[in-house]
Amino acid sequence: MEKESSLTNSDIIFVKLHAPWEVLGRYAEVMNVRMPFRRKIYYLHRRHKFMNRIERQISRFQGWLPRKPMRLDKETLPDLEENDCYTAPFSQQRIHHFIIHNKDTFFNNATRSRIVHHILQRVKYEEGKNKIGLNRLLTNGSYEAAFPLHEGSYRSKNSIRTHGAENHRHLLYECWASWGMWYKYQPLDLVRRYFGEKIGLYFAWLGWYTGMLFPAAFIGLFVFLYGVTTLNHCQVSKEVCQATDIIMCPICDKFCPFMRLSDSCVYAKVTHLFDNGATVFFAVFMAVWATVFLEFWKRRRAVIAYDWDLIDWEEEEEEIRPQFEAKYSKKERMNPISGKPEPYQAFADKCSRLIVSASGIFFMICVVIAAVFGIVIYRVVTVSTFAAFKWALIRNNSQVATTGTAVCINFCIIMLLNVLYEKVALLLTNLEQPRTESEWENSFTLKMFLFQFVNLNSSTFYIAFFLGRFTGHPGAYLRLINRWRLEECHPSGCLIDLCMQMGIIMVLKQTWNNFMELGYPLIQNWWTRRKLYQEHGSQRKTSFPQWEKDYNLQPMNAYGLFDEYLEMILQFGFTTIFVAAFPLAPLLALLNNIIEIRLDAYKFVTQWRRPLASRAKDIGIWYGILEGIGILSVITNAFVVAVTSDFIPRLVYAYKYGPCAGQGEAGQKCMVGYVNASLSVFLVSDFENRSEPTSNGSEFSGSPLKYCRYRDYRDPPHSPVPYGYTLQFWHVLAARLAFIIVFEHLVFCIKHLISYLIPDLPKDLRDRMRREKYLIQEMMYEAELERLQKERKERKKNGKSHHNEWP
């Protein structure tokens, strides 16, 4: 241990810890740290002459092609020896088996930090029952911070191509965190070596997710472009644009005027871009894509776990949280694993705390619903206000202006409630008193995801499934608190509102997250450097030791990788749950993630203190959450296609009521007359007093209007049952329910079939593992035999051989 005063603040003292070889070796054996002991011998299967000939032809053809631009230059990367060697748990008795070129570099810095942290967590610092471990010293304020050091500066005056990298941090900055490397693969082995397996797995998952977004983004863009190319041939949008003689009923009370259906021509065309014949195919594709993504991630994780020696790694028995010990120190029972007495929480106490926590979660979800209710009231009130606005642009587009402002207000509410939810989730998790840190982390993760998922998607659910569904009809509108008339969909449909909601929220949230992730640490570090410059000048700043520079960086988030995972999981939900309504969502996610990878890399390498290297076998509870989102996406996309879009009504019209009825055709020629068939007739004199518009519609024909049209399947006013549902309404409803059932069962069958057909462990990896196990046994036997033979020769030289020795 060395103590050294800070150069910038005399009240701060740095305690530098050094671990000599003897300590590292002893605790590496205790912790079962796997180290390299023999170079890998790759076993090649025997191939037929025909296959060899084909491979030679392929390699000759590849020689004409340009080199793969996304691969990193192997010359700039260090030789990561442990990836090309067989590894075994370190043992001091068998130290001669391991490849040790230099004892100072045999254990890399991440492993050394992990060993030192293991020691510090078990050191008794004071007399007393629970006076053990570094975490308690950090909790009670004895130490302000504890962190491993970065390996020098991430910048260099010399080029990495001519002089090489000065250290691994510099190499990571040039080959990973640099914005010019956005199209390159990530050096995951180097990330793992510098930051540890847990952070390495996060970036491996993020890179895999980003790579899997390429086909989804391509198909989504294709669906959008298909809508663009078929726009001029769409019979429905043509009829809407040519319907100058169809007058629609007002969409709000009093101030909203009558309008021609042709006025919504632009919105009908925009709707076709997202709601066209390829939408159903894309919904099925994305549901299958989510399953393929998760199944292939399991295979990718297995390969990473094998390469990083995580297959046989088991998490150590975790220490009990100090808060749990302080609360339940009076009641103890024997731990079945360690055999030592430990604090015990009674079952009744645990149940009561869980009930209170669940009640808190339910209350906060009710707060979200109340916020959505407030947005609904805002939309209902504002549409009338905008309809009477002075500016013609807003007055003529009152519904779009209402939706746009409502989405922006909704985004602000989402961001404000997120701050509140974090504090509530922290309070409820601490109230539950989890026993260990992993239990606390899982409980907190589940609450935060639930809160933020409901907060982010509740208004989207309202627009997708409730907007315009329960409004009644002209003359008998359903009202909120018997006062406000519920909002109707635009004459061109509700899908345009859902597209605006998703597009604006997705762009704003991703922009805000990226700013907070990088902008906030950058501003804080700039402010710290500015204060140091003012106090000590520019000459002193360059001479600061590494521990002083790292102390002035920002610490990693208190919740570790939680914020990074949460952001991506919520984005995955946005990309899959309502993707049928917004096919460009995967493309936006892909563009964001390409930036996100480099942004996170830049933040870890340059803006944050070096986090403690920790191990993990997978992404933890997040995988279960991803599976849940995948299941939910099938249900929501089925409802979006069946309920929100006009796919089913068009299909029913084409096969049952259109010109091609009974002929088994459904082309554009079969959609002639669809718009007129989807609109019902209303007698203007049947308006309620509070709904009657201020204008009488004389501007259209020179005389007051007698009839107007509205979107619904209802009988005309002079029928025996005025405004009753028509037979077509029941046909459409039955078709929608049938589509939901068939779609869900079909997609779930495909998902389960894919899960069954794709094994979790690749066959070549299984063979490699078996062969490695066999070779390790052979090598250990050969090495032991070689050692015994050497000892026997030495004894013979010294004349100490025994007659009863085995031959």
Side-chain angles (χ1 to χ4, degrees), residues 295 298-303 305-306 311 758-767 769-770:
E295 290 301 319
K298 282 196 279 189
R299 292 165 64 86
R300 173 66 177 152
R301 188 205 64 81
V303 173
Y306 170 78
I311 294 287
I758 300 176
D760 294 346
L761 212 61
K763 186 179 183 302
D764 61 332
L765 177 61
R766 194 183 294 114
D767 293 342
M769 290 170 63
R770 288 174 180 171

Side-chain angles (χ1 to χ4, degrees), residues 714-725:
R714 292 183 182 270
D715 292 321
H718 302 298
S719 62
V721 184
Y723 308 118
Y725 286 119

Side-chain angles (χ1 to χ4, degrees), residues 70 278 412 442 463 490 529 550 601 609 619 768 771 804:
M70 292 185 291
C412 295
N442 288 341
I463 291 172
H490 198 272
R529 289 194 301 271
D550 286 7
R609 295 173 190 162
I619 61 175
R768 283 165 61 195
R771 179 158 181 79
N804 59 350

Side-chain angles (χ1 to χ4, degrees), residues 333-348:
R333 72 172 182 181
M334 296 293 289
N335 186 312
I337 297 172
S338 65
K340 297 177 182 178
E342 66 176 21
Y344 166 68
Q345 183 181 15
F347 179 75

Side-chain angles (χ1 to χ4, degrees), residues 502-516:
M502 291 190 64
I504 294 173
I505 290 288
M506 200 168 184
V507 170
L508 287 179
K509 191 158 195 325
Q510 290 181 348
T511 305
W512 175 259
N513 286 339
N514 289 340
F515 169 75
M516 289 302 294

Side-chain angles (χ1 to χ4, degrees), residues 370-541:
V372 174
F373 186 74
I375 294 292
V376 171
I377 293 176
Y378 168 82
R379 293 172 70 108
V380 169
V381 173
T382 311
V383 72
S384 300
T385 307
F386 283 157
F389 214 73
K390 294 179 181 179
W391 297 345
L393 180 64
I394 294 178
R395 188 171 63 249
N396 296 334
N397 299 279
S398 59
Q399 200 160 13
V400 176
T402 300
T403 302
T405 54
V407 172
C408 294
I409 293 171
N410 185 31
F411 173 75
C412 295
I413 292 173
I414 286 171
M415 301 313 295
L416 289 173
L417 286 178
N418 281 348
V419 177
L420 173 65
Y421 290 153
E422 184 175 338
K423 298 183 183 302
V424 172
L426 197 61
L427 178 68
L428 293 178
T429 307
N430 289 331
L431 180 68
E432 289 177 11
Q433 289 292 352
R435 179 176 168 272
T436 62
E437 285 297 333
S438 64
E439 289 178 10
W440 187 95
E441 188 177 317
N442 288 341
S443 178
F444 179 76
T445 297
L446 201 57
K447 289 182 184 63
M448 277 296 290
F449 168 75
L450 192 61
F451 286 156
Q452 295 216 17
F453 180 80
V454 174
N455 187 27
L456 188 65
N457 292 287
S458 53
S459 55
T460 313
F461 269 90
Y462 163 74
I463 291 172
F465 305 128
F466 296 99
L467 178 64
R469 302 281 174 264
F470 310 102
T471 57
H473 63 86
Y477 286 117
L478 296 176
R479 296 183 178 274
L480 207 60
I481 324 177
N482 199 29
R483 181 177 179 183
W484 294 297
R485 170 181 157 185
L486 289 172
E487 189 182 4
E488 289 187 52
C489 290
H490 198 272
S492 58
C494 292
L495 207 67
I496 189 72
D497 295 278
L498 186 56
C499 290
M500 285 183 65
Q501 171 81 12
M502 291 190 64
I504 294 173
I505 290 288
M506 200 168 184
V507 170
L508 287 179
K509 191 158 195 325
Q510 290 181 348
T511 305
W512 175 259
N513 286 339
N514 289 340
F515 169 75
M516 289 302 294
E517 279 189 21
L518 186 62
Y520 186 66
L522 274 173
I523 292 169
Q524 285 189 314
N525 288 334
W526 170 81
W527 184 254
T528 304
R529 289 194 301 271
R530 184 174 178 273
K531 287 199 298 184
L532 291 175
Y533 178 80
Q534 290 176 346
E535 293 173 7
H536 304 280
S538 58
Q539 294 179 351
R540 191 72 179 273
K541 177 185 160 187

